[in-house]
Amino acid sequence: MASTELHPAGGTWFDSVKRSFVDVPIDANRDNAIATSEFLEAAESLATLFDVLGSVAFTPVKSDMHGNIKKIRDRQLAAPAESESLQSLVVNELKTKKHTATEGLLWLVRGLDFTAQGLRHNVTSPSEELSTSFRTAYSSTLKPYHSFMVKPIFSAAMSATPYRQDFYAKLADDQERGQRELRVWLDALEKQVGMLKRFQERKEAKW
């Protein structure tokens, strides 16, 4: 079966994404308010990374991420003036005694944290295979919250990850450029995940 091109010839996967986490506006003057629309676009773009990982085993992982993005966007569309930032969306939804989008964001952040930690482990350990990196990340992010029925699905996905060299070859034709862009993107993703995790620990973000 012919492989699908996931980026322009001579380019990187980052050339093909609709929005990078690097380009998500954050308002430091408003308690690090993260722009909702741009963040969701970046999260949708990240979900296509599972296509680079290449296995149908990742379909449930990708579907779960898209489902949580939809919950957040539905709330944003229902109350746009109250949802310009992710933080304001959560606070205002909780005032209505509902938490569908708030819970969706909680799970989305966990999924993004899993992806970020898996890639960070792999980038900082040049000899480590992706399956090892993502298993380590899974143990500290999603696994504690998953049921006995869900854990095998994610375990199967991690066992199906491609070899390290194959993944990075799909990520970019120019390996040096690909690694450089991955690190910049990863820094931005980790920063936003960290901000949201700290926000979600606050009383105003709980239901």
Side-chain angles (χ1 to χ4, degrees):
M1 189 169 77
S3 62
T4 303
E5 277 298 320
L6 297 167
H7 58 73
T12 73
W13 171 76
F14 301 97
D15 294 328
S16 69
V17 301
K18 183 176 181 181
R19 186 175 296 275
S20 168
F21 284 99
V22 175
D23 301 317
V24 174
I26 301 170
D27 190 343
N29 294 321
R30 293 175 52 226
D31 200 16
N32 290 325
I34 299 173
T36 301
S37 295
E38 290 85 350
F39 180 87
L40 294 180
E41 286 181 356
E44 285 175 326
S45 296
L46 177 145
T48 68
L49 187 66
F50 296 116
D51 297 328
V52 183
L53 290 168
S55 171
V56 292
F58 278 96
T59 301
V61 182
K62 187 177 176 181
S63 296
D64 185 65
M65 196 168 283
H66 278 300
N68 290 316
I69 290 169
K70 184 180 185 303
K71 290 176 183 176
I72 300 163
R73 184 168 281 135
D74 284 349
R75 171 62 191 176
Q76 181 193 22
L77 292 172
E82 299 177 351
S83 308
E84 291 183 358
S85 73
L86 292 168
Q87 294 93 328
S88 62
L89 181 150
V90 166
V91 170
N92 286 309
E93 184 193 40
L94 292 177
K95 287 178 182 176
T96 70
K97 307 300 182 185
K98 296 179 181 177
H99 59 263
T100 302
T102 300
E103 188 172 6
L105 181 61
L106 181 66
W107 279 102
L108 179 59
V109 169
R110 287 171 179 168
L112 295 175
D113 196 17
F114 158 68
T115 309
Q117 287 195 33
L119 290 171
R120 177 61 70 188
H121 282 303
N122 205 253
V123 165
T124 56
S125 304
S127 62
E128 189 168 279
E129 286 297 338
L130 285 167
S131 56
T132 302
S133 297
F134 277 102
R135 280 197 188 96
T136 301
Y138 181 64
S139 295
S140 61
T141 55
L142 289 169
K143 188 176 180 180
Y145 307 102
H146 276 169
S147 68
F148 287 109
M149 294 180 67
V150 175
K151 285 175 184 176
I153 297 172
F154 276 73
S155 180
M158 285 174 285
S159 297
T161 52
Y163 288 115
R164 179 190 181 95
Q165 66 182 50
D166 294 338
F167 169 71
Y168 287 110
K170 288 181 179 180
L171 196 68
D173 290 339
D174 182 337
Q175 292 291 294
E176 187 176 331
R177 180 187 161 200
Q179 283 287 322
R180 185 170 62 249
E181 292 185 1
L182 174 60
R183 289 174 186 273
V184 172
W185 176 85
L186 195 52
D187 285 345
L189 170 59
E190 289 173 330
K191 178 181 178 182
Q192 289 164 52
V193 165
M195 288 175 175
L196 289 169
K197 285 172 70 175
R198 288 189 292 276
F199 167 70
Q200 288 170 336
E201 290 171 358
R202 285 155 50 172
K203 185 177 179 181
E204 63 189 308
K206 297 183 182 297
W207 66 92

